[in-house]
Amino acid sequence: MDRDRYVDFLRAWAIVLVVLGHWLITGLVRGPDGGITAPELLATLPWTQWLTLGFQIMPLFFLAGGHAAGGSWSRAREAGGTAAGWVGQRAVRLLLPTALYSGLVLLAVAACSAAGVDPGTLALVGWAMAMQFWFLPVYLILSALTPPLHAAHRRWGLRVPVAMGAAALVTDLLVVAAHTPYVGLLDYVLVWAVPYQLGFCWRDGLLTAGRRWLPAGMALVGGLAFWALVGPGPFPVSLILVTGQTPSNTNPPSAAMLAWAVAQAGLCLLVAPTARRLLARERVWRAVRPLGGASMTLYLWHMLPVLIVAAALYLPGLAPEPAFGSAAWWWLRVPWLLVLGVVLAGAVAGLRPLEGRLAALYERTRPQAGPGPRHPLLLWIGLAASVGALTRFATQGFAYGGRFPVLPAVGLAVGAALVLGAQRIGVRHADEPREALEEAA
């Protein structure tokens, strides 16, 4: 089955905009004592919060992810695969590069801590290197829930994302009106599950075939709901977390974020025919395809260039430093982005041998149709440990309080090892009948 180039493009485009958005709002300031600080642009210049409407495009990643996962799980089911085997395969695909990245960052944190690096600086750097991790535990949970979610989709279709959206609204009402913050944790799954579930519907034609009005309706209603919620409503315009801003649209995901996700999904479906015609041109696709293949690397490693540029240009005082947020500062965003892009390209090239080994390891853990992991309990324990560790990193960084995070580090190492081990056991188990036939032959 041919891959949908538009779906691959959406995932790559979402990652690229997230990277550019993080770089754009990251500003470094060298103090009189030579120390480097990073003022929060969205809090210092509140008008910049409007920029997040263009850069908060992760709903499209979940939409494209649901489209791809729905197709992948359908093919696995038809081939006789099991839910545990499929979930394990998807988890390994995400955890291998994440564990590599986290392991190298944690080694650096341990070395810096042993060398006596200032705890405040170490905590800031550790937070910067983990600021993108919020996405990982959510996506792991949705991947693990894909078999039952897809079963619900096959039975009830569009009623599933509608029900999820309604539940998310009720949850958000409890958070905002009744001040029950812990209930809001449900919205991390409910809100992001809506575009993910819409991806199933998109793949099966429920949003397009015979319903050309539906994408336009989603874009219009979602957009109007967003403006109502951030205008007369209680929510801020920023779609990225701003320190001290309550309520937030991301912590937990709010009704405004849900409305924006629906609007983005509708707009994405409206432009799909034109985008597919463009992507059918080989010249265009050759330019887009490498980004898709490197999207996970770009997402994980994109804050490393900021640290490299800080050490190479800002610490020695070589970088020009106009007043933060001034017109000259904004003009310097152009070379800033270009320099960071060049450094990231070099980092991606340097990581290619390691990623090649990860790809080979991933291929060895891909079971063919068969019974799946022999010990699925190991898989679920490993997933739970991994989600817990990644959540801790996402909320506290890699060096909270300037200290090495022992428990999360152990949790991620054990969790990734259990998931990988369960998959490899499953692969050997699935290969046993084939190997027996080969011996008999």
Side-chain angles (χ1 to χ4, degrees):
M1 181 179 178
D2 292 336
R3 293 180 66 90
D4 189 326
R5 290 182 176 184
Y6 185 47
V7 173
D8 289 345
F9 164 77
L10 286 177
R11 288 189 288 191
W13 180 241
I15 294 300
V16 168
L17 278 189
V18 167
V19 170
L20 291 177
H22 282 168
W23 286 352
L24 183 66
I25 66 174
T26 300
L28 302 179
V29 175
R30 185 174 186 271
D33 60 350
I36 304 297
T37 59
E40 189 175 356
L41 181 67
L42 300 180
T44 306
L45 302 174
W47 69 264
T48 60
Q49 295 179 25
W50 289 93
L51 298 176
T52 65
L53 273 64
F55 287 100
Q56 178 52 278
I57 202 169
M58 288 308 284
L60 294 189
F61 193 96
F62 284 95
L63 178 74
H67 187 292
S72 174
W73 170 233
S74 295
R75 291 189 294 272
R77 285 177 59 249
E78 292 167 1
T82 65
W86 184 88
V87 169
Q89 178 185 334
R90 304 289 282 195
V92 167
R93 188 174 183 177
L94 188 69
L95 285 174
L96 281 178
T98 301
L100 171 66
Y101 171 83
S102 302
L104 293 176
V105 172
L106 288 168
L107 282 175
V109 168
C112 291
S113 181
V117 172
D118 173 64
T121 301
L122 192 57
L124 177 62
V125 171
W127 170 83
M129 295 300 283
M131 64 184 297
Q132 71 277 35
F133 266 41
W134 72 267
F135 157 81
L136 298 171
V138 176
Y139 205 78
L140 270 175
I141 290 172
L142 289 178
S143 294
L145 292 175
T146 293
L149 289 177
H150 198 263
H153 160 73
R154 295 194 303 273
R155 182 168 183 177
W156 293 298
L158 280 169
R159 284 173 286 182
V160 180
V162 171
M164 287 178 170
L169 292 177
V170 171
T171 302
D172 202 32
L173 181 63
L174 291 173
V175 172
V176 175
H179 306 291
T180 53
Y182 290 107
V183 176
L185 294 175
L186 293 173
D187 270 347
Y188 281 100
V189 176
L190 288 172
V191 169
W192 295 116
V194 170
Y196 192 80
Q197 197 80 21
L198 287 173
F200 298 161
C201 299
W202 177 26
R203 180 182 179 273
D204 290 345
L206 298 182
L207 298 177
T208 51
R211 293 186 172 119
R212 295 183 180 179
W213 55 270
L214 189 52
M218 291 168 60
L220 179 62
V221 173
L224 290 176
F226 176 79
W227 291 118
L229 289 165
V230 304
F235 297 100
V237 70
S238 178
L239 293 172
I240 296 176
L241 181 65
V242 178
T243 300
Q245 197 173 70
T246 305
S248 167
N249 285 326
T250 59
N251 186 31
S254 69
M257 178 66 81
L258 176 61
W260 194 248
V262 172
Q264 277 195 355
L267 184 60
C268 161
L269 297 177
L270 284 175
V271 304
T274 301
R276 284 193 170 106
R277 285 194 294 271
L278 287 173
L279 293 168
R281 301 176 183 178
E282 289 304 318
R283 183 178 299 178
V284 175
W285 181 240
R286 282 197 299 269
V288 172
R289 187 175 181 179
L291 290 175
S295 59
M296 190 64 180
T297 305
L298 297 176
Y299 186 78
L300 287 172
W301 291 92
H302 72 272
M303 290 304 290
L304 178 64
V306 174
L307 302 183
I308 293 174
V309 170
L313 298 180
Y314 280 83
L315 279 178
L318 300 177
E321 290 194 64
F324 188 83
S326 65
W329 185 87
W330 282 106
W331 277 112
L332 280 172
R333 293 286 89 185
V334 177
W336 164 259
L337 294 176
L338 291 175
V339 170
L340 292 179
V342 170
V343 175
L344 182 58
V348 170
L351 290 166
R352 194 166 294 159
L354 282 175
E355 296 217 323
R357 294 179 183 177
L358 289 183
L361 179 59
Y362 172 69
E363 289 299 322
R364 290 199 296 272
T365 65
R366 293 182 63 182
Q368 303 301 316
R374 181 175 288 179
H375 302 292
L377 182 60
L378 294 180
L379 169 67
W380 303 121
I381 293 174
L383 275 174
S386 299
V387 167
L390 292 173
T391 301
R392 182 73 175 271
F393 288 139
T395 55
Q396 298 186 351
F398 282 109
Y400 185 70
R403 298 183 298 273
F404 184 87
V406 177
L407 288 179
V410 172
L412 182 57
V414 171
L418 287 175
V419 171
L420 183 61
Q423 281 301 101
R424 299 194 70 177
I425 291 171
V427 169
R428 289 197 297 270
H429 184 38
D431 284 346
E432 286 173 3
R434 177 177 59 81
E435 291 168 354
L437 287 174
E438 290 174 353
E439 291 175 3

